Amino acid sequence: MTTIHENKGIFIYMQVIIKRTTAEIADLVSEKFVSLLEKKPKAVLGLATGSTPIATYEALINKIKAKNLPLEDVKTFNLDEYVGLEKEKYSYRTFMEENLFSPLGISSSQVHFPSEKTLSAYDEQIAAYGGIDLQILGIGSNGHIAFNEPGTPFESKTHVVKLEESTRDDNARFFDTPEEVPTHAVTMGLATILQAKEIVLIATGTNKQEAVRQMLSGVNSLNCPASILNQHPHVTVYLDEEAAGKLY
Ligand code: PGA
């Protein structure tokens, strides 16, 4: 299914693919990463955390191992990281180590996370490596991408954000107690994300229905940060039937 959005007089095609299972989505998205890595061993990957990409990372690990693809020249840039964490086990760096880097032998010298110290230097570092070739995104139930909460300016670069309570509630499942969920994070900005050459966004489950509906409504609104993706020429949105439930 292809949807057409009108954006300031310019028609942009955002490809939307609806699949029945998470496994089918993981297979398609991991295949995109594999074909990039086959063509470009020095690829720059934009990576995301959360529940959504886990199945894709599992599929990617299996495919890369099966094909014995070399990864020494790959660079990665993660979308975001918490600020003020007391326990390293909750960090997105730890998540990535466990779910992707360590199984694939990707070393710490290849990976990058934004921090309060780097901020806009993060954008410069991405640009210095030639930009992100393929960026994977989830979407928050409030329409955020990375930690760009509703109201974030479309021209934002990497910055510190105060997390919405809905985001802290959504993420509490990763913490032993809800109080441990940080109040702040550092995130690539919306303009940073839009610099990626190609973007894949995955949304699964009924709690993403409304955010997905708004993103694909054709209205670019600060209330739904993901709607900025309508301005990018090469985005594919992968949905399961639940997340697509309000599109029919
Ligand atoms: P989730 O988070 O994958 O854990 O649902 C997505 C997001 O907040 O971007």
Side-chain angles (χ1 to χ4, degrees):
M1 172 173 139
T2 298
T3 52
I4 302 171
H5 296 296
E6 191 175 4
N7 169 44
K8 294 180 193 152
I10 303 164
F11 285 95
I12 293 192
Y13 293 82
M14 186 132 116
Q15 197 184 23
V16 180
I17 293 172
I18 301 171
K19 289 286 169 191
R20 242 171 14 91
T21 64
T22 304
E24 287 171 276
I25 295 173
D27 183 48
L28 290 174
V29 178
S30 60
E31 204 52 51
K32 254 187 189 296
F33 277 93
V34 166
S35 45
L36 169 65
L37 292 165
E38 283 176 332
K39 277 197 293 267
K40 189 172 178 185
K42 289 192 174 180
V44 180
L45 309 181
L47 301 177
T49 52
S51 302
T52 306
I54 291 177
T56 296
Y57 292 158
E58 279 172 7
L60 186 57
I61 291 165
N62 290 335
K63 288 179 188 189
I64 286 175
K65 286 188 173 169
K67 293 188 175 227
N68 208 11
L69 285 178
L71 298 177
E72 307 84 74
D73 294 329
V74 164
K75 301 285 180 223
T76 73
F77 286 86
N78 262 80
L79 287 169
D80 43 18
E81 181 58 283
Y82 287 119
V83 169
L85 270 179
E86 285 178 18
K87 296 181 186 158
E88 186 58 24
K89 69 172 180 174
Y90 297 132
S91 74
Y92 283 169
R93 189 181 285 269
T94 300
F95 174 99
M96 290 306 302
E97 271 303 324
E98 288 173 358
N99 289 289
L100 195 69
F101 300 152
S102 169
L104 287 178
I106 295 177
S107 75
S108 56
S109 63
Q110 295 171 265
V111 310
H112 305 83
F113 287 80
S115 79
E116 275 181 298
K117 292 192 196 103
T118 52
L119 294 184
S120 62
Y122 199 59
D123 295 54
E124 287 156 23
Q125 206 174 10
I126 294 170
Y129 280 113
I132 289 171
D133 291 300
L134 182 58
Q135 174 69 59
I136 183 169
L137 294 176
I139 182 170
S141 59
N142 65 357
H144 73 206
I145 48 173
F147 273 135
N148 292 286
E149 301 286 38
T152 305
F154 280 168
E155 58 278 11
S156 55
K157 301 279 182 61
T158 300
H159 63 289
V160 173
V161 290
K162 184 172 185 323
L163 300 176
E164 284 206 338
E165 282 312 305
S166 66
T167 297
R168 295 186 69 232
D169 290 346
D170 284 349
N171 288 6
R173 67 190 190 282
F174 293 111
F175 292 77
D176 293 336
T177 62
E179 297 73 41
E180 289 178 285
V181 184
T183 54
H184 290 77
V186 57
T187 180
M188 278 189 204
L190 293 172
T192 318
I193 293 170
L194 230 61
Q195 293 291 314
K197 292 167 198 162
E198 181 174 359
I199 297 173
V200 290
L201 182 144
I202 305 173
T204 56
T206 46
N207 66 326
K208 303 295 171 69
Q209 276 182 356
E210 180 53 25
V212 166
R213 189 196 65 73
Q214 282 194 34
M215 171 178 71
L216 298 175
S217 70
V219 178
N220 292 342
S221 160
L222 294 185
N223 291 331
C224 179
S227 66
I228 195 178
L229 297 174
N230 291 306
Q231 299 181 18
H232 192 285
H234 201 176
V235 181
T236 312
V237 177
Y238 295 86
L239 306 173
D240 69 358
E241 287 170 356
E242 291 179 337
K246 288 196 176 176
L247 297 182
Y248 305 107

